Each structure stands twice: as structure tokens, then as C-alpha cells.
Amino acid sequence: MPVRKLLLVAALLPGSLLADDVVRVAVASNFIQTAAKLTKHFSETTAVSVRISSGSTGKLYAQIINGAPFDVFLAADTERPRLLEQDGYAVPGTRATYATGSLVLWSRDERLRGRNCREVLQRGDYNRLAIANPETAPYGDAAMQFLVAEGLWQGVSSHVVYGENIVQTLNYAATGNATLAIVAASLMSYPGLPSTVCMWRVPQSSHAALNQQLVLLERAADDEAANSFVEYLRSDRAAAIIERDGYTVVR
Amino acid sequence: MEIFGPLWLSVQLALVTTFVLFLIGTPVAWWLARTAASWKPAAQAIVAMPIVLPPTVMGFYLLILLGPYGAIGSWWFELTGSTLTFSFTGLVIASCIYSLPFAVQPMQNAFESLPRQMLEFAWTQGASKRDAFFSVAVPMSARGFVAAAVLSFAHTLGEFGVVLMVGGNIPGETRVVSIAIYDHVESLQYGAAHQMSLLLLAFAFTVLLGMYMVNRRWSLR
């Protein structure tokens, strides 16, 4: 093939196949908004481009151990990063807590106007409550812990619907299909979210801490761009962005 | 390990859907096969759309349409006090739309290949249009009906994307077998995922094998 044709083909290929100054990041759904802000800031200062894939922590974990081409994993829990480190999928010593999340009970349903969300949940006079799947999504697990701890689980279980990840859970309530949803507080700044009718902050003491950890994955152990991205995520400037989105960061 | 719960739910959904699609699909197919209306291609295109559209498009529209603010959902909500989404009834509606072409197209093909003289003969012998349909058209189109039943049933059993978007994953109500498998894979319960997947694999092969064997026997006749 003439060189010119080869160049043409090369120009049509996705950038990732040619240059490796691309960092591929797997991000838990609740953090996607913040991750987008962080990567934008990072890319502006370093000229490294970052590609984000999002999903529930459980799904991303399953993809990673089955060979998905990710360099960095921003999970919504500590368990999956720990397992990845233990089983040799992540670079030892790179595991770190980058954010601590919290939950809110939220509704856009006009019929709840002027009422207290928490009370509605308690009295059970609503249609559906959406939580993320506790099996796969840490925020769903925390929501369930809260409901069990408050003695509400028995009462709500006939109302509960399960979102595949935390953003789908919010979607169920945002489209009005579920009256209430228990979601990550960080999602409250989601663009396009219908205006809040009632919201109640779930006390962090009612569930295990929602510590979110990151790891550098084994395939990117020597990748400079990926290493610098992880370093950036643990910087004060990144922490400020993360905190602005409603998380707590231990510095 | 709950394997049969989700599987049985899927089978129920597929059976109900196939039944409803026979009721809706037969007149639609009959009309499509015999009409000369100028908008027949448009009607055919609408029927065939679910083959082409990604399940996410249908899931998205259904989530809005069946929700409490949607055209169908709001009416249902007034009537029953609950939403159509996250319910078995909602899944039946979704599946009927999703599997519609798989019921209509085989029936339509069968009706189109009916020799017109047969029906005309029945009419001249004094049979009403209804009689002629049931005693001549239906038996002669048996092959089309079998294909429609098998394909609607099997296609509904294989439904995933739409249910993921409007189902809400409720055990015994909307957690069908494809969703259960997805959950098992996500939570690394590969054992359960393997068992269910293998069952479905065997089922899909058996059903299709059966259909093609029947088809061959018919065409040799």
C-alpha cells in the first residue's frame, strides 16, 4: 500500500491505537460528573487526554478482571480495589481513598410538595422507592444498610425497585417512575435534573462509610501518563474539585 | 440459589406475550397481506422497526410513556394507583412491541402465499368471510403461525435491554432470566450465571432446531 494511503488509514483510526498518551479510566457511576471535571482540568494542564468509561463498581470490576483495557479504576468502594490489589490486577501501594460520599433521599414528585421526604418514607404512602442494586453498587448497599438500621426495610421492600447503577436509580425518580430515590448526594448537581421537591440527607452514621478508592491497574504500571493522572487525583487541587461536588476528602 | 424463579418468570412473560401477539398480530398480518392501501409500506415499516431500533431507544421511550407523566402511564396511574413501569403488565406491553415483527412477519408471509382462488371458492360456496378465514386461511397458514409463535416466544425470552431500562429488577415481578444472569455476572457469581446461561443456550438451540425440522418436513411434503 502506498505510504499516502497508509497515512490516510492512520488518520481515520481512533487516536488510542496510535499514540499512548491516553489514559483510560473506569469510573463508578456516582463519580462520573466529578471525574469529567477532573479530567478536563488535568488535560488542560498536561495535554494528556483521558477517556472515561462509567458503570456500577461491580460491573467495572468484572470487566477489569476479564481483561478490559483500563489504566485507572475509580471505584465507589474499598472492597473491589482491595481485591484487585490482592489478586495482582492492580499495582501494589497505589490504592488510596480519593473521596467519601454520602446519600440523599430525593423526590421530584409534586404531590410531596411541602412534605418531609423522611416522613413519607417512614409512613410508606408513596409508590416506588428506587435504590441501586445492593449486590453490585456500593451506594445501593449503603442505602440498604440505612433502611435496615432504621427498621424500615420490612416496610419498604414491597416498594423497592433496583437501578443497575446509581445514575439509573436517579433516572427512575427523575422520570417520575419512582416517587423516591436514595442516591449519592453528589448527583444533586447533575445537569438536567428536574427541580427538587423534597430532599433529605441520610446520616452518614446509618451506614458503613462510603469511602471510594482508586487503584492504578497493572497494565499501566509503567505508563507515565496514567501514573501522573493518579498523582494528580491525590493533589490538593483535585481534592478541591472533589469537595466542591459534595464529597469529603481526607487530605 | 434462585435459578428457576427468574426462568419461570421469563417463560410466563413469553407465554403471555405470544398469546397477546396472536390476538393483535393476526388481524394486522391479515390486513397487511391483503391491503392495497398506499400507506402499506409505512405500516410495514412501523411493524418492522423493533428489529432495527436498539432496545435502549425503546426502553427510553417506554420509560417516559409508561411513567406516571406519560401518555399511557398517567392514564394507568389514575386507574390503578401504580405505575406501569416496574410491573409485569408493563413488561408485557414492552415485550409485545419488542416482539411484534416476529409475530406479524411470518403470519403475513403465510397469508400472502395463500392462493386467492381458495378463499374465493369458499366465499362462493356461501362461507362468510369469517368462516373462510378460520376454516381455509388459518389451517393453510399453520406453518406461519408456528413460526410466529416460536419466534415471539423465543425472542421475548431473550429480551434484555428494554427490561433493564423499565423493569427495576424486582424479584418475582420483573427480574427475568436475562437480568438475573447479568446480575450474577456483575456480582461475580459465575456459577449461577453459567447454570442459567447453559439452560438458555440449550433451550434456544432446541426450539430453533425443532422449528427448522418441522419446516423441512413441511417443505418436503
Side-chain angles (χ1 to χ4, degrees), chain B residues 51-216:
Chain B
I51 298 179
V52 180
L53 282 178
T56 39
V57 172
M58 281 185 282
F60 171 57
Y61 281 139
L62 285 170
L63 191 66
I64 309 279
L65 210 66
L66 302 183
Y69 306 113
I72 305 173
S74 57
W75 168 82
W76 181 267
F77 192 80
E78 294 264 300
L79 207 73
T80 65
S82 60
T83 54
L84 266 177
T85 42
F86 318 131
S87 73
F88 186 77
T89 316
L91 289 197
V92 170
I93 295 176
S95 308
C96 283
I97 297 172
Y98 179 69
S99 296
L100 183 70
F102 292 84
V104 169
Q105 290 182 349
M107 290 196 241
Q108 188 191 335
N109 288 340
F111 292 151
E112 275 170 352
S113 58
L114 281 178
R116 179 152 178 96
Q117 302 93 304
M118 295 289 287
L119 287 171
E120 281 166 355
F121 180 71
W123 296 335
T124 57
Q125 297 301 302
S128 69
K129 288 214 161 177
R130 194 165 158 270
D131 275 349
F133 176 76
F134 282 108
S135 53
V136 178
V138 169
M140 288 191 68
S141 311
R143 199 167 150 184
F145 281 108
V146 170
V150 170
L151 290 176
S152 319
F153 184 85
H155 191 242
T156 306
L157 208 64
E159 188 174 352
F160 173 69
V162 179
V163 182
L164 185 75
M165 289 183 75
V166 302
N169 204 348
I170 305 166
E173 177 94 18
T174 61
R175 182 178 292 167
V176 296
V177 68
S178 56
I179 300 284
I181 291 172
Y182 181 70
D183 275 356
H184 285 314
V185 175
E186 274 200 59
S187 50
L188 299 182
Q189 296 162 16
Y190 287 178
H194 270 306
Q195 290 182 28
M196 285 189 184
S197 301
L198 200 65
L199 260 170
L200 277 192
L201 196 76
F203 172 81
F205 180 72
T206 313
V207 164
L208 293 174
L209 180 71
M211 192 181 73
Y212 286 124
M213 276 167 61
V214 169
N215 253 343
R216 185 166 72 166

Side-chain angles (χ1 to χ4, degrees), chain A residues 27-201:
Chain A
V27 178
S29 305
N30 73 292
F31 199 69
I32 174 98
Q33 289 280 106
T34 319
K37 289 176 202 165
L38 290 167
T39 52
K40 186 163 173 277
H41 183 227
F42 177 73
S43 298
E44 277 166 9
T45 49
T46 59
V48 172
S49 69
V50 181
R51 296 242 173 90
I52 298 177
S53 306
S54 72
S56 73
T57 296
K59 175 166 65 190
L60 294 171
Y61 171 77
Q63 290 177 348
I64 288 165
I65 63 172
N66 285 293
F70 295 124
D71 301 321
V72 180
F73 181 32
L74 302 181
D77 68 355
T78 56
E79 180 64 11
R80 267 74 161 209
R82 191 185 61 76
L83 282 173
L84 289 173
E85 189 179 39
Q86 175 193 307
D87 297 339
Y89 295 102
V91 180
T94 57
R95 189 159 61 90
T97 303
Y98 63 93
T100 303
S102 59
L103 292 170
V104 293
L105 177 66
W106 181 83
S107 178
R108 60 156 290 190
D109 196 320
E110 282 302 328
R111 282 164 301 181
L112 302 192
R113 171 92 43 209
R115 294 186 58 189
N116 177 333
C117 262
R118 174 72 175 84
E119 202 187 282
V120 175
L121 183 69
Q122 185 90 45
R123 294 175 43 164
D125 53 348
Y126 60 93
N127 197 16
R128 293 289 190 186
L129 165 71
I131 68 173
N133 188 343
E135 295 266 319
T136 55
Y139 279 79
D141 188 27
M144 191 169 157
Q145 286 175 31
F146 154 70
L147 292 168
V148 170
E150 298 286 301
L152 291 168
W153 182 248
Q154 286 295 330
V156 302
S157 57
S158 61
H159 294 270
V160 171
V161 296
Y162 300 98
E164 194 264 320
N165 59 59
I166 200 68
V167 176
Q168 193 195 21
T169 308
L170 178 61
N171 247 308
Y172 280 161
T175 52
N177 282 291
T179 318
L180 295 165
I182 301 180
V183 294
S186 56
L187 295 182
M188 292 296 102
S189 59
Y190 224 72
L193 192 68
S195 57
T196 299
V197 170
C198 75
M199 187 180 87
W200 179 72
R201 291 190 179 281

